[in-house]
Amino acid sequence: MLIDNRIYAGLDSEGNSVYLDLSMSNRHGLIAGATGTGKTITMKVLAESFADAGVPVFMCDVKGDVSGICTPGRQSDDMENRIDKFGIRDYFKYKGYTTTFWDIYGEAGHPIRATVSDMGPELLARILNLSDAQEGVLNIIFRIADDNGLLLIDLKDLRAMVNYVGEHKDEYILNYGNITQQSLGGIVRAILPLEDQGGNLFFGEPDLDIMDWIRPDINGNGMINVLDSVKLVQNPKLYAVFLLWMMAELFEKLPEVGDSDKPKLVFFFDEAHFLFSDMPSIFIQKIEQMVKLIRSKGVGVFFVTQNPADIPDAVLAQLSNRVQHALRAYTPAEQKGVRAAAQAFRENPAFKTEDIISELGTGEALVSFLDSDGIPMVTQRTAIICPQSLMGPGDSAIRASMMASDGMEKYNSSMDNESAYEVLSEQAAISAEQARLDAERAAFEKEKAEFEKQKAKEDAAAEKEALKAQEKAEREALKAREKAEKEAQKEYERALKEEQKAIEKAQRERERHAKNAVGSVGSTLGREFGKLVGNTIGGDLGKKVGSNLGSTLGRGFFKNLIGRK
C-alpha cells in the first residue's frame, strides 16, 4: 500500500510501520519462504503499491493465484480485523487493478513473441549451452544471414540457416572461418529441447514491443502485467530464454536514468529456482550481469523463491531488499539453509535471526529494506499487510473483459512473414526444379545419345549391308560382265572362225578359179604346143594327139604351179 509516496509493507513487532523507499526499489529484492507462508501475498502487496505509485509491474503467475489482482478483494471479518490491525482504514479499498494478461503459449493471455535476431547469437548460445566452437559457428550463421539479407525470425528460420550453411560451408570458410559439421550438428541438437518446450511459440512475429509493458492505465496507475507461467515453469529452458531476452531488451531500449525517485518498471519472478535449476555457469554469469546493469535503467527485479539458497550467490548478492518468510528446518540440510538465510540479513540485537526464521507464522516475515541512503535497515519481524485485490485466482469474466479492451489484441494472431526459411525454401525449390530440369535434360541427352548411337549403329549396319549388297552387285555385275565378255569372246572367236572359214573358202574359190583359169590357159598353150608337136609329128592324128596331150599337160602344170603358190 502506498502511503506518503512510500510502500507500506506492514508492522514490526513493536508496532512500527515498515516501509520500502521507492527510490531504492531498483536495487532489486528477494522474497523467500516455504510453501504456504505468504510469499504470494507479499508479492501482491508490493505490486499493488508500485502500481498505485504509477510504476508498471510485471509478475509471473506460477500457481494461477496472482491473476486475482484484477479482481477486488472480498470483504470478510478476518479482512476487516486485519485492516484495523494495520491502521490502514483510511487508505484501504477493495479494488482490482488494471491488468494485461500474457502467456507465451497464448492460452491464458496475449502471446509474447521475440525474434531469433532479437535474441542474438550470444544470448542464444548461452541458453543453448553451446561450446565455444559451436558459439563461433552460430555467430557465423547469424553473420551470413545478415550479409545475405536473410531474416532470422523463428526457429525454423534458424534451422534453415544451419542446414543452408552446412550445405555451402566450403564456400564460406575463407570469408567467415572454419565451419565443422560437428558444430552444426551440436547446434541442431541444442535447439531440439527448446522447440519441445515451446520455443516455436515464443520465437516469431509480431514480436513484443517491450514498451507496451511500460504504460499507465486510464487512471494514471502503473499497468500490471501478469504472465501466466503455470505451464512455463515446467519448461525451465524457455523460462530462462524469456528472462534473458526480456532483460536484454530492457537494457537495450531504456535510457540510462541512474538514481531516480521511483523505478520505471518492476519485475517479480515467482518460483525463481526454476530459472537456475541445472543451468550452466555461463548462464548464471549472464543473469548476474543483466541484474547489475539493468538497475541503471530504472528497472527493479524481485526474485520469489522458497529458499535463498535457490538463488546463485552471484545473483543473490545483487538483491538488497529482502523479505524472508518462514523456513522449516527438519533436516540438517534445511537447518544449514536457515543459517545461510539468516546470515544474509543485517543483525537485530533484539533477537537471533536464525531462530526467528523457523518461528514465523503465515503472513509474517523478516524484513530488511534499504533506507533512503541505500543502507540495509536492521532486520525487523514484520506482519505483512493484506492486499486490496483478491487473494486467489481472478474472476474469469473480468480477465476476459480486460483482455478485450487492453489494446494488445495486435499480438493475438501470429504472422509468418518472408524470412530465411521462406527464402531458402524457395531457393531450394528453384534448385530442386532446376535439378529436375537438369536431370530431365540429362536423361533426354542420354536418350538422344543412345538413340543417335543406336541410329549410327543401325546406319553403320545398313551401310555395311548396302556395301555388301553393292559388293555383291558389283561381283554379280563383274561375273555378268566377264560372262558377257566370254560370250562375246566366244562369239567373236566363232565369228572370226566363220570369217576365217569364209576367207579360206573364198581363197579356195579364188584358187580354184585361178587354177581353172591357169588350167584353161595351160590347156590352150598345151593344145598349141601339142599342135606344134603334132604338126611336127605330122598328120591329123599327130595334130589331135598333140592337142589333147598338150592341153592336159598344160592344164596340170599350171594348176600345180598355182597350187604350190
Side-chain angles (χ1 to χ4, degrees):
M1 179 171 289
L2 192 67
I3 299 178
D4 297 332
N5 207 35
R6 294 184 298 173
I7 295 177
Y8 176 42
L11 294 174
D12 66 16
S13 56
E14 297 180 359
N16 298 315
S17 298
V18 177
Y19 293 96
L20 170 61
D21 197 303
L22 283 174
S23 63
M24 292 293 110
S25 299
N26 62 346
R27 304 295 178 89
H28 313 311
L30 171 70
I31 302 173
T35 300
T37 57
K39 296 190 303 297
T40 303
I41 297 299
T42 300
M43 180 173 66
K44 292 180 75 171
V45 166
L46 294 180
E48 290 177 355
S49 303
F50 283 122
D52 288 335
V55 177
V57 174
F58 187 95
M59 308 175 72
C60 292
D61 188 2
V62 172
K63 298 183 288 293
D65 51 359
V66 175
S67 61
I69 202 166
C70 71
T71 304
R74 295 191 181 97
Q75 186 176 11
S76 66
D77 291 341
D78 182 59
M79 283 292 294
E80 293 299 311
N81 291 334
R82 295 182 71 183
I83 291 170
D84 290 334
K85 171 185 175 182
F86 291 109
I88 54 176
R89 177 66 62 182
D90 295 337
Y91 304 98
F92 190 90
K93 178 182 179 181
Y94 294 104
K95 64 178 181 178
Y97 286 79
T98 307
T99 306
T100 303
F101 291 94
W102 304 91
D103 183 1
I104 286 178
Y105 299 96
E107 297 171 356
H110 302 294
I112 294 178
R113 302 182 187 89
T115 67
V116 172
S117 293
D118 286 341
M119 180 68 66
E122 182 182 357
L123 284 182
L124 198 57
R126 299 291 184 270
I127 295 302
L128 298 178
N129 195 23
L130 300 182
S131 67
D132 290 342
Q134 291 166 348
E135 182 179 351
V137 172
L138 186 64
N139 275 281
I140 291 175
I141 291 171
F142 272 72
R143 180 65 179 274
I144 292 173
D146 287 341
D147 291 348
N148 289 274
L150 298 171
L151 299 178
L152 297 179
I153 294 175
D154 49 31
L155 290 181
K156 70 177 186 296
D157 291 326
L158 182 57
R159 273 181 164 277
M161 276 303 302
V162 173
N163 292 334
Y164 174 78
V165 171
E167 292 170 357
H168 299 82
K169 59 186 178 67
D170 293 339
E171 303 170 21
Y172 292 124
I173 286 178
L174 290 179
N175 291 329
Y176 296 94
N178 192 33
I179 303 170
T180 66
Q181 203 65 40
Q182 292 83 354
S183 293
L184 293 171
I187 293 171
V188 172
R189 287 193 301 272
I191 292 173
L192 291 176
L194 187 58
E195 288 179 328
D196 294 339
Q197 294 185 20
N200 287 326
L201 297 174
F202 177 64
F203 290 104
E205 288 184 319
D207 52 329
L208 179 73
D209 181 357
I210 205 82
M211 302 307 292
D212 281 335
W213 290 348
I214 308 175
R215 59 192 176 105
D217 64 11
I218 58 174
N219 301 314
N221 294 327
M223 176 66 69
I224 291 183
N225 299 275
V226 173
L227 175 66
D228 189 286
S229 305
V230 176
K231 186 176 179 179
L232 180 61
V233 293
Q234 299 174 27
N235 300 303
K237 185 172 287 291
L238 185 58
Y239 196 9
V241 167
F242 165 72
L243 172 63
L244 276 182
W245 164 80
M246 179 200 63
M247 288 189 174
E249 281 288 289
L250 288 169
F251 183 76
E252 179 181 345
K253 293 187 176 181
L254 293 180
E256 291 280 344
V257 295
D259 293 326
S260 58
D261 293 338
K262 61 182 180 182
K264 288 184 173 293
L265 178 66
V266 173
F267 284 91
F268 291 91
F269 288 100
D270 198 3
E271 301 297 339
H273 62 279
F274 285 113
L275 289 171
F276 305 103
S277 177
D278 299 323
M279 288 297 173
S281 59
I282 193 68
F283 173 82
I284 307 303
Q285 293 172 14
K286 197 65 181 179
I287 292 287
E288 177 191 4
Q289 180 186 20
M290 286 295 182
V291 170
K292 285 180 178 179
L293 297 176
I294 207 168
R295 182 191 68 80
S296 64
K297 303 287 185 173
V299 177
V301 179
F302 284 76
F303 291 102
V304 184
T305 189
Q306 294 186 12
N307 194 308
D310 298 332
I311 309 296
D313 291 342
V315 178
L316 190 63
Q318 304 300 317
L319 311 182
S320 300
N321 297 296
R322 302 196 175 189
V323 179
Q324 178 66 62
H325 287 273
L327 287 176
R328 309 308 177 200
Y330 301 111
T331 66
E334 290 173 339
Q335 292 168 3
K336 182 179 179 181
V338 168
R339 286 193 295 273
Q343 292 170 0
F345 283 86
R346 180 179 174 181
E347 184 179 353
N348 188 327
F351 56 81
K352 188 176 180 181
T353 304
E354 181 179 337
D355 295 336
I356 296 297
I357 289 179
S358 300
E359 298 173 1
L360 294 171
T362 301
E364 283 189 308
L366 292 175
V367 177
S368 177
F369 295 141
L370 297 180
D371 62 19
S372 58
D373 295 323
I375 300 173
M377 294 185 290
V378 173
T379 303
Q380 298 293 338
R381 181 172 183 170
T382 305
I384 306 299
I385 66 171
C386 49
Q388 299 172 89
S389 60
L390 183 66
M391 291 189 290
D395 185 278
S396 58
I398 295 177
R399 177 196 286 242
S401 174
M402 286 189 172
M403 286 187 62
S405 60
D406 58 15
M408 297 294 107
E409 64 276 359
K410 62 185 178 181
Y411 295 113
N412 291 342
S413 299
S414 64
M415 297 185 301
D416 194 9
N417 294 317
E418 184 177 82
S419 51
Y421 174 80
E422 286 75 21
V423 173
L424 295 177
S425 295
E426 183 177 357
Q427 290 180 4
I430 292 173
S431 298
E433 179 64 15
Q434 186 61 48
R436 185 186 68 81
L437 293 175
D438 291 343
E440 288 184 355
R441 186 178 297 108
F444 172 77
E445 293 295 336
K446 182 179 179 181
E447 185 177 348
K448 179 181 177 183
E450 290 293 334
F451 173 79
E452 291 178 347
K453 181 179 179 181
Q454 183 63 28
K455 186 175 182 301
K457 186 177 180 181
E458 292 174 354
D459 290 345
E463 184 178 354
K464 185 176 181 180
E465 290 298 322
L467 184 60
K468 285 182 179 180
Q470 181 181 354
E471 290 175 350
K472 181 179 180 181
E474 289 178 353
R475 287 195 300 271
E476 295 293 332
L478 180 60
K479 288 180 181 180
R481 190 164 57 249
E482 289 175 348
K483 182 178 180 182
E485 288 177 353
K486 287 180 180 180
E487 292 295 330
Q489 183 66 27
K490 288 180 180 180
E491 184 62 26
Y492 171 75
E493 291 176 352
R494 185 185 64 77
L496 186 62
K497 287 180 180 180
E498 291 295 328
E499 184 180 359
Q500 186 66 33
K501 287 180 180 179
I503 292 171
E504 291 176 351
K505 181 178 180 182
Q507 182 68 27
R508 286 194 299 272
E509 286 295 324
R510 286 193 302 273
E511 289 177 353
R512 185 176 63 81
H513 288 302
K515 286 180 179 181
N516 289 335
V518 171
S520 178
V521 171
S523 178
T524 300
L525 290 174
R527 279 194 307 269
E528 292 298 323
F529 177 75
K531 286 179 179 182
L532 179 58
V533 170
N535 288 331
T536 301
I537 296 173
D540 290 334
L541 180 59
K543 290 179 181 182
K544 185 176 180 179
V545 171
S547 176
N548 288 336
L549 179 62
S551 175
T552 301
L553 290 173
R555 179 182 291 113
F557 174 76
F558 279 101
K559 281 185 179 181
N560 289 333
L561 182 63
I562 293 302
R564 283 195 298 270
K565 291 180 181 179

